[in-house]
Amino acid sequence: MSQGKPLLDRDGVALALSALTTAISTGVASDRLALVGVRRGGVPIAARLGRSLPGNVPVGAIEIALYRDDAATALPDPKIGPSQITFDVEGRDVVLVDDVLQTGRTIRAAIDGLLDYGRPRRIWLAVFVDRGGRELPIAPDFVGHRMGPEVIEATRGTRLVVDMTEGTESVTAEPRK
């Protein structure tokens, strides 16, 4: 469990997950739905959503480290995990899932990586927390929790940590290292 400033407790996380599940199940009317979590933070959220959505929704993971526009400077010692997309994305409605949306750069990289697997019919974006502060014109289709301006101001200079450990779920703001 994180030791930062608490923003969402277990109940808040449950509400955000429920909101995302409802929004996706009502917003994406497709029998070709798939979820792809952005490694690392989006993967456990995509897995939880996959268990909550009706039907047998395939769930995958995309590694974006090598697609980042700042990969050479931001990753001095990168921890790169594998992408795990074991289903055909061609013609599917893919919901890209991430934990926190801020600048939009991670999502741009994730879309680039996803397109290496084929051409989905449509790519939707689901984020657990929308923090604001875009640098690219990227907006989520589905949001679990949208931070208000007072919270955004209070958390400047921090990173948000989403902990999806069963039973101790939380969202906290921690100082950037």
Side-chain angles (χ1 to χ4, degrees):
M1 186 169 176
S2 178
Q3 298 302 312
K5 176 183 176 183
L7 299 176
L8 287 178
D9 61 9
R10 185 176 170 194
D11 292 337
V13 169
L15 283 171
L17 274 171
S18 177
L20 271 178
T21 301
T22 300
I24 292 168
S25 64
T26 58
V28 183
S30 173
D31 60 347
R32 303 265 307 144
L33 174 64
L35 302 173
V36 175
V38 177
R39 192 166 298 282
R40 290 179 308 242
V43 173
I45 297 165
R48 296 273 287 268
L49 290 170
R51 291 192 303 263
S52 300
L53 289 167
N56 187 15
V57 178
V59 179
I62 189 81
E63 173 60 64
I64 60 138
L66 299 177
Y67 294 93
R68 289 174 52 128
D69 59 5
D70 63 350
T73 57
L75 302 170
D77 183 25
K79 293 180 177 40
I80 300 173
S83 290
Q84 296 170 320
I85 299 177
T86 59
F87 51 88
D88 188 7
V89 301
E90 196 73 31
R92 280 196 183 270
D93 288 297
V94 175
V95 177
L96 199 55
V97 181
D98 204 6
D99 56 351
V100 178
L101 175 61
Q102 185 172 1
T103 64
R105 293 184 182 281
T106 296
I107 301 306
R108 187 218 43 88
I111 291 169
D112 285 350
L114 182 62
L115 292 175
D116 279 351
Y117 285 86
R119 188 173 188 268
R121 187 182 80 78
R122 181 168 180 175
I123 300 173
W124 302 79
L125 176 58
V127 296
F128 194 74
V129 177
D130 183 355
R131 177 177 186 152
R134 297 301 178 275
E135 294 175 4
L136 298 174
I138 291 176
D141 298 293
F142 310 109
V143 178
H145 180 78
R146 193 175 309 273
M147 294 177 60
E150 69 287 348
V151 177
I152 292 169
E153 188 58 37
T155 59
R156 289 202 193 285
T158 63
R159 68 185 194 104
L160 297 189
V161 177
V162 178
D163 180 356
M164 295 304 290
T165 306
E166 299 269 349
T168 62
E169 297 89 346
S170 66
V171 177
T172 56
E174 296 185 350
R176 289 199 186 275
K177 295 177 183 174

